Amino acid sequence: MSAAETSGEYTELPVPNVLADRVDAFWRFVAAPRREGTAPLLQRILPDGCTDLIVRFPEARAVGQGIEPRLTVVGPMERFVLTAPEPGSACLGIRLKPGGALALLGVSPKELRNLSIGVEECAPAFLHLQKQLASARSLPQALALLRDEFSRRNATPLHLPSARTTHALHCLQSSAGRISLARLARTVGVSERTLHRDILEEAGVAPKLLARVLRFQRALTHLRAGTLDLSTVALECGYADQSHFTREVRELAGVSPTGLRS
């Protein structure tokens, strides 16, 4: 889950090396306070193939006052969603790479696709962390608790995917979705049907969609950098042409490529 338009301060934070294989980013978002006479600004959340655990504090200024945050798991998304952050609220999150949810959360990303569910329903083992976070005196301390929790979980993962699935996911991510599924199946020595089943089970989405999302995310990086024209971005990211690129971006993000330039 990644944000395109933010109505507040969004920051991505370093990932410890020991977590880098399974964790894409730690992040923090503090929503802007509401201004009198203005409507809430919607936030566009874009698909990235990842699963997030999100810690939501209802009021950023109240962190350190013993208020228990709400923890939710957001599964991999097939297309964008629009949300309206509560003015003045604060969120911390850990974004897990495709294949990391079962290992670190103990929940199936396939069952959480396009959903946001409280940990009390899908991962009750995290309720103890929810209580611990209520005692955090600041957002940095809450983030440290989150990092410590996942460092412990990473040391004794709840699930390990097969070596072939791990390799297939690595190939998809390192190629930013540009490797053909037929070639990927040959590379890991399985049929395309078996590849589809393996990726769906570990990443929560089918390999074709995951490849589209990874290609889109690479294009998004170029768009935000603003150094290449749209036709060059399309070529660099493996789209057939600029029209194909535009159609894919509209389908996944709900706006044109130009609308995603920062």
Side-chain angles (χ1 to χ4, degrees):
M1 186 185 75
S2 59
E5 301 156 5
T6 58
S7 52
E9 179 189 346
Y10 175 82
T11 307
E12 292 194 358
L13 305 158
V15 176
N17 288 337
V18 69
L19 292 173
D21 285 347
R22 295 189 175 105
V23 176
D24 184 66
F26 286 91
W27 54 268
R28 177 179 62 218
F29 176 70
V30 179
R34 178 167 293 168
R35 298 178 184 175
E36 189 174 349
T38 61
L41 178 62
L42 292 177
Q43 187 176 23
R44 187 179 303 272
I45 307 297
L46 303 175
D48 54 17
C50 298
T51 298
D52 286 62
L53 177 75
I54 301 177
V55 179
R56 290 185 171 91
F57 291 93
E59 177 63 54
R61 292 176 297 181
V63 176
Q65 298 180 16
I67 297 175
E68 194 170 297
R70 176 166 170 75
L71 271 62
T72 57
V73 180
V74 179
M77 296 160 44
E78 296 178 298
R79 63 195 305 267
F80 78 98
V81 296
L82 296 175
T83 65
E86 188 65 29
S89 62
C91 290
L92 299 174
I94 177 170
R95 189 159 66 238
L96 303 177
K97 294 179 178 179
L102 277 167
L104 298 183
L105 299 179
V107 297
S108 168
K110 183 172 64 173
E111 301 300 323
L112 295 175
R113 186 168 58 243
N114 298 320
L115 297 176
S116 175
I117 301 179
V119 294
E120 66 276 7
E121 295 183 45
C122 66
F126 280 92
L127 289 173
H128 83 282
L129 176 62
Q130 186 166 283
K131 295 185 181 301
Q132 281 185 308
L133 287 163
S135 66
R137 294 187 298 273
S138 64
L139 285 177
Q141 187 181 33
L143 179 65
L145 288 170
L146 193 61
R147 283 177 171 153
D148 289 347
E149 174 71 21
F150 278 89
S151 293
R152 286 193 295 270
R153 285 176 166 265
N154 191 61
T156 55
L158 298 169
H159 166 82
L160 290 175
S162 68
R164 76 185 185 207
T165 307
T166 298
H167 183 46
L169 286 169
H170 174 75
C171 289
L172 274 170
Q173 292 172 83
S174 62
S175 68
R178 294 190 63 176
I179 187 170
S180 76
L181 298 186
R183 178 184 171 192
L184 181 57
R186 289 196 301 271
T187 298
V188 298
V190 297
S191 67
E192 288 189 55
R193 182 176 180 178
T194 298
L195 177 70
H196 181 279
R197 183 193 64 210
D198 289 349
I199 298 294
L200 179 62
E201 187 64 32
E202 296 294 340
V205 293
K208 183 176 180 180
L209 177 61
L210 180 57
R212 289 177 62 204
V213 167
L214 293 170
R215 189 164 59 238
F216 162 73
Q217 281 290 326
R218 180 175 180 177
L220 182 61
T221 299
H222 286 305
L223 290 172
R224 288 173 170 168
T227 56
L228 301 176
D229 60 42
L230 295 184
S231 61
T232 303
V233 173
L235 180 64
E236 286 287 321
C237 296
Y239 295 96
D241 52 35
Q242 188 174 331
S243 295
H244 176 215
F245 174 43
T246 298
R247 288 195 303 273
E248 282 284 283
V249 170
R250 285 194 178 278
E251 173 65 24
L252 293 172
V255 294
S256 69
T258 303
L260 292 177
R261 286 194 186 276
S262 58

